[in-house]
Amino acid sequence: VVEEVRHSAEYVLKPLLPDIRSELVVPLMVGDAVLGVLDVQADETDYFTDDDVRVYAALGAQVAMAVQNARSFSRAQATLIETEALYKISRALNTVIELSDLLKAVTEMVAESLSATWATLVMVDMAAQRLESAVASGPRADELLPPSFDLLMEGVGGWTLTQRQAALSPKGTPDSRETVDMPDRKSVV
């Protein structure tokens, strides 16, 4: 509690709130973990009482518990969604006989589970430097398929293949490893 903010060396004046005279700040804690603070201001000096401190401390503890519960629920929801997606993919993988059907099912389920617009799966023979098969799902998906091994290797897919690691392009920003100008595309199967 700061009874008069203008007389406190620790208080930093807030230009957007010039009329503040008293301030009460309580930590939002669950156990030893600090999740944030509840900050209450008043325009009167000596505004907050010991009862206010107890009430807002209890409120802060309740808010912290609610925040922790909401975070736990969100994590549980995300885990459930991932588990359901993996189950659907696993079930589909066990029922598909043809490779092309399997690849198509995987792209569709990956796109669906991530709420993505498109998904592409390309199988390559690196030694022979050729595409073995490629499938995509989403609107006009066939336009996403690389027409040749060489063009695949010029893009982020080629970078991923040669570096043997995942690549993530920033949202809304073309990846610098991606080829911008792609010639007419034809489906490769």
Side-chain angles (χ1 to χ4, degrees):
V1 174
V2 179
E3 295 172 355
E4 172 52 76
V5 297
R6 290 182 287 181
H7 297 141
S8 174
E10 294 88 29
Y11 186 80
V12 176
L13 293 174
K14 298 174 177 98
L16 295 176
L17 301 170
D19 297 330
I20 292 175
R21 295 295 173 260
S22 298
E23 185 169 27
L24 167 64
V25 183
V26 297
L28 303 179
M29 295 181 61
V30 176
D32 291 335
V34 178
L35 306 180
V37 295
L38 173 62
D39 189 349
V40 185
Q41 299 91 20
D43 60 1
E44 296 176 28
T45 302
D46 297 323
Y47 184 80
F48 299 105
T49 66
D50 289 340
D51 286 340
D52 291 330
V53 172
R54 282 190 291 280
V55 167
Y56 285 104
L59 177 62
Q62 290 177 347
V63 169
M65 186 61 71
V67 167
Q68 183 180 24
N69 289 343
R71 287 178 176 171
S72 294
F73 182 76
S74 293
R75 283 191 297 270
Q77 285 293 98
T79 300
L80 176 63
I81 289 168
E82 289 172 5
T83 302
E84 286 175 343
L86 291 173
Y87 173 74
K88 284 173 73 175
I89 291 170
S90 175
R91 202 171 84 205
L93 294 178
N94 289 323
T95 60
V96 176
I97 297 172
E98 295 292 323
L99 178 62
S100 61
D101 293 337
L102 171 70
L103 300 178
K104 185 69 172 173
V106 168
T107 60
E108 289 171 357
M109 286 184 225
V110 166
E112 179 185 334
S113 68
L114 295 174
S115 297
T117 307
W118 296 279
T120 305
L121 199 153
V122 180
M123 303 298 295
V124 298
D125 180 337
M126 290 297 285
Q129 295 190 351
R130 68 178 177 86
L131 299 176
E132 290 185 340
S133 63
V135 294
S137 63
R140 299 173 39 203
D142 289 342
E143 294 178 23
L144 297 174
L145 298 175
S148 70
F149 180 84
D150 292 337
L151 285 174
L152 170 68
M153 295 308 290
E154 287 180 16
V156 70
W159 183 90
T160 298
L161 287 168
T162 57
Q163 298 300 310
R164 297 176 182 227
Q165 60 181 338
L168 178 63
S169 296
K171 292 181 179 176
T173 305
D175 191 289
S176 61
R177 297 164 289 206
E178 188 67 65
T179 302
V180 178
D181 298 319
M182 296 293 273
D184 292 336
R185 298 167 180 261
K186 294 184 176 120
S187 282
V188 178
V189 179

